[in-house]
């Protein structure tokens, strides 16, 4: 669907790689302990590695916030799912923070969207529906503009 997915987990690097492999996500998983923090400017090499990574392991809450910050500063629109208190700052920082079903009050408060059904399939449905809505709006705008255009011939 044109959406790049990155796994962000507190699990150990080997567990994260194995999980990503089983999910078919790719195995370019970075150890988050090698990342900096939001208080410093990252080098181009680190920014590229974050953009190309399939995921991050051994992540702490400050890493989540930092990954989102770097991706946003690189021009990406970032959505993030989370369920715990430790996810709240990153959910708030993301362009679209999504609290999953059963999330804590802190995560639900920080998020832009709260999922009521378990699982992530609802996100796919939301992307499809939002694209249909955008297409309808775009078609209507083009229709209205063309309806009011006057063509002059010389």
């Amino acid at each position: 669907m044109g959406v790049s997915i990155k796994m962000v987990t507190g699990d150990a690097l080997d567990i994260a790689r194995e999980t990503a492999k089983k999910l078919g996500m790719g195995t370019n998983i970075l150890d988050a302990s090698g990342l900096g923090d939001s208080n410093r400017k990252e080098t181009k090499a680190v920014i590229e590695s974050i953009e190309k990574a399939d995921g991050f392991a051994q992540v702490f809450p400050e890493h989540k916030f930092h990954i989102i910050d770097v991706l946003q500063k690189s021009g990406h629109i970032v959505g993030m799912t989370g369920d715990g208190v430790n996810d709240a700052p990153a959910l708030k920082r993301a362009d679209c923070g999504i609290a999953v079903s059963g999330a804590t009050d802190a995560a639900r408060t920080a998020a832009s969207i709260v999922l009521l059904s378990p699982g992530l399939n609802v996100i796919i449905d939301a992307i499809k529906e939002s694209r249909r809505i955008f297409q309808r709006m775009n078609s209507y705008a083009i229709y209205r503009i063309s309806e009011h255009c006057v063509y002059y011939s010389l």
Side-chain angles (χ1 to χ4, degrees):
M1 296 182 73
V3 177
S4 175
I5 307 294
K6 297 185 185 307
M7 178 175 63
V8 181
T9 180
D11 290 337
L13 192 57
D14 290 335
I15 293 170
R17 282 192 180 129
E18 187 61 29
T19 302
K21 187 190 320 181
K22 286 185 178 188
L23 293 172
M25 294 180 64
T27 56
N28 182 18
I29 308 296
L30 301 180
D31 185 344
S33 64
L35 299 176
D37 59 39
S38 295
N39 296 327
R40 75 170 194 204
K41 187 169 169 54
E42 291 291 3
T43 64
K44 285 199 183 271
V46 172
I47 292 169
E48 281 184 24
S49 69
I50 289 173
E51 288 179 320
K52 291 180 181 177
D54 296 315
F56 304 90
Q58 301 180 160
V59 174
F60 289 112
E62 58 269 17
H63 294 131
K64 295 174 188 179
F65 189 89
H66 182 60
I67 291 164
I68 291 170
D69 190 52
V70 168
L71 290 170
Q72 287 175 328
K73 286 178 180 173
S74 299
H76 298 280
I77 297 172
V78 181
M80 182 199 156
T81 60
D83 66 349
V85 173
N86 62 334
D87 295 323
L91 288 169
K92 188 78 168 165
R93 177 73 172 132
D95 295 298
C96 183
I98 304 168
V100 298
S101 176
T104 62
D105 288 340
R108 288 196 306 255
T109 301
S112 307
I113 298 172
V114 178
L115 302 182
L116 301 176
S117 302
L120 300 177
N121 285 337
V122 71
I123 295 172
I124 295 168
D125 295 338
I127 291 170
K128 289 177 182 177
E129 186 62 27
S130 66
R131 288 179 179 175
R132 279 193 288 273
I133 292 168
F134 178 80
Q135 186 57 48
R136 275 188 236 126
M137 291 171 51
N138 192 41
S139 296
Y140 179 74
I142 291 170
Y143 167 75
R144 294 297 291 175
I145 290 168
S146 65
E147 186 180 45
H148 288 71
C149 286
V150 178
Y151 297 101
Y152 296 97
S153 60
L154 299 172

